[in-house]
């Protein structure tokens, strides 16, 4: 059943050249190095992610530089606060011109609804609003320790339902959760997956990994890839190899 669903989904997918699915995680401690690095890539071929470290060092100017260079920027600050504060932070992020931003689903329905409403009220195209469900660094024991019942996977599915009802466009999830989320949330819910490793690449500290082809076949919309590209001797070649793997997977099912 599921395999046929995945094939139907892939059959209508554009290639990487038409629609870049790789989001390169700019996990650099130094904004200068990050800018030098993106100079080796092309905003037509990938998107980029700015997380807490780079944002704390490089600030909004870093984001504006990337946006003005033509990159779609995913601002990965995982907002989690009272609804009014998060809504205002989302507006501030949108005004930097980011393409995607995220909040914690555990901030609750009202917080996510507030974020969505604040973004909808802005003129022009709004950023995609993505929710973080359960951090992939947390296992079942960790979530029990903080008082949550059920498995991490149960909580991912439940929080994704809440996020969707609150107006989030999608969630960040581990590639292993993609199939179940596609089944429960349907096609038009954006699934963003880190934990991607091309075949033969070092896994580093990532445990629950999938290859780019496998993640796309499972139903992932966007693949967050850091070290396999940022630490490659030739980052552009590494990106192209990942895109090739994605396109081969798509072509194989058309
Ligand atoms: O280098 P690597 O490909 O492992 O980088 C993955 C990126 O995705 C990092 O920026 C990491 O912080 C982020 N991320 C993750 N797992 C999550 C959420 C975000 O690896 N659950």
């Amino acid at each position: 059943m599921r395999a046929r669903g995945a094939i139907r989904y892939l059959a209508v997918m554009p290639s990487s050249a038409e629609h870049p699915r790789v989001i390169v995680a700019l996990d650099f401690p130094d904004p200068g190095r990050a800018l030098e690095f993106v100079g080796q890539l092309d905003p037509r071929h990938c998107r980029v992610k700015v997380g807490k470290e780079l944002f704390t060092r490089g600030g909004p100017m870093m984001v504006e530089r990337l946006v003005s260079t033509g990159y779609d920027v995913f601002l990965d600050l995982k907002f989690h606060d009272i609804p009014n504060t998060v809504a205002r932070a989302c507006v501030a992020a949108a005004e930097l011109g980011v393409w995607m931003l995220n909040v914690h689903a555990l901030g609750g329905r009202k917080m996510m609804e507030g974020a969505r409403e604040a973004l909808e009220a802005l003129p022009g195209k709004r950023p995609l609003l993505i929710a973080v469900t359960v951090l992939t660094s947390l296992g079942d024991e960790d979530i029990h320790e903080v008082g949550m019942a059920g498995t991490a996977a149960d909580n991912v599915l439940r929080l994704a339902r809440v996020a969707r009802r609150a107006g989030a466009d999608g969630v960040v999830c581990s590639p292993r959760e993609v199939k179940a989320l596609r089944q429960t949330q349907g096609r038009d819910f954006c699934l963003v997956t880190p934990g991607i490793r091309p075949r033969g690449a070092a896994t580093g500290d990532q445990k629950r990994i999938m290859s780019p082809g496998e993640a796309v076949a499972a139903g992932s919309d966007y693949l967050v890839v850091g070290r396999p590209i940022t630490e490659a001797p030739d980052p552009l070649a590494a990106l192209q190899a990942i895109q090739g793997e994605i396109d081969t997977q798509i072509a194989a099912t058309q």
Side-chain angles (χ1 to χ4, degrees):
M1 274 307 279
R2 193 58 212 147
R4 283 209 303 277
I7 288 168
R8 267 202 305 278
Y9 153 71
L10 288 167
V12 295
M13 284 177 80
S15 71
S16 296
E18 297 161 313
H19 175 71
R21 290 181 188 77
V22 175
I23 303 174
V24 182
L26 299 179
D27 293 325
F28 293 99
D30 171 9
R33 269 190 61 206
L35 288 172
E36 194 186 315
F37 173 80
V38 294
Q40 299 173 64
L41 303 177
D42 184 329
R44 288 171 303 175
H45 299 148
C46 64
R47 306 169 202 258
V48 293
K49 178 172 91 70
V50 174
K52 288 187 172 85
E53 181 185 20
L54 185 58
F55 186 80
T56 303
R57 293 196 184 275
M61 274 174 59
M62 175 77 208
V63 175
E64 283 169 333
R65 279 283 294 275
L66 292 165
V67 171
S68 66
T69 313
Y71 281 100
D72 279 348
V73 176
F74 170 18
L75 188 62
D76 178 20
L77 297 182
K78 302 183 180 71
F79 296 136
H80 187 174
D81 211 312
I82 60 170
N84 181 57
T85 302
V86 167
R88 293 171 76 137
C90 288
V91 169
E95 287 174 356
L96 292 176
V98 305
W99 157 73
M100 176 183 279
L101 58 85
N102 60 2
V103 299
H104 265 286
L106 278 170
R109 179 177 53 80
K110 288 192 183 123
M111 187 200 80
M112 291 185 279
E113 280 172 354
R116 173 70 186 235
E117 280 162 23
L119 292 174
E120 291 286 354
L122 293 171
K125 197 165 184 281
R126 67 168 177 84
L128 289 168
L129 175 64
I130 301 295
V132 175
T133 54
V134 179
L135 292 170
T136 48
S137 51
L138 300 178
D140 293 350
E141 281 179 20
D142 301 300
I143 65 165
H144 295 161
E145 195 176 30
V146 295
M148 290 164 79
T151 64
D154 296 335
N155 282 280
V156 168
L157 295 181
R158 197 188 64 253
L159 288 167
R161 274 198 302 277
V162 177
R164 186 168 204 175
R165 276 203 299 269
D169 298 298
V171 291
V172 180
C173 60
S174 121
R176 302 287 170 87
E177 291 150 3
V178 167
K179 272 195 179 166
L181 284 165
R182 269 282 164 256
Q183 262 164 348
T184 53
Q185 297 301 324
R187 179 64 207 106
D188 61 337
F189 195 57
C190 185
L191 301 180
V192 180
T193 52
I196 302 296
R197 287 293 178 271
R199 288 181 209 289
T203 54
D205 52 1
Q206 295 283 15
K207 293 197 181 80
R208 296 156 67 206
I209 56 171
M210 269 195 191
S211 72
E214 287 168 341
V216 169
S220 175
D221 291 297
Y222 294 105
L223 281 52
V224 176
V225 188
R227 289 160 291 181
I229 295 176
T230 56
E231 292 182 359
D234 183 345
L236 184 57
L239 171 64
Q240 285 167 341
I242 291 171
Q243 286 167 331
E245 191 181 324
I246 292 170
D247 289 342
T248 302
Q249 180 66 50
I250 294 170
T253 52
Q254 279 180 331

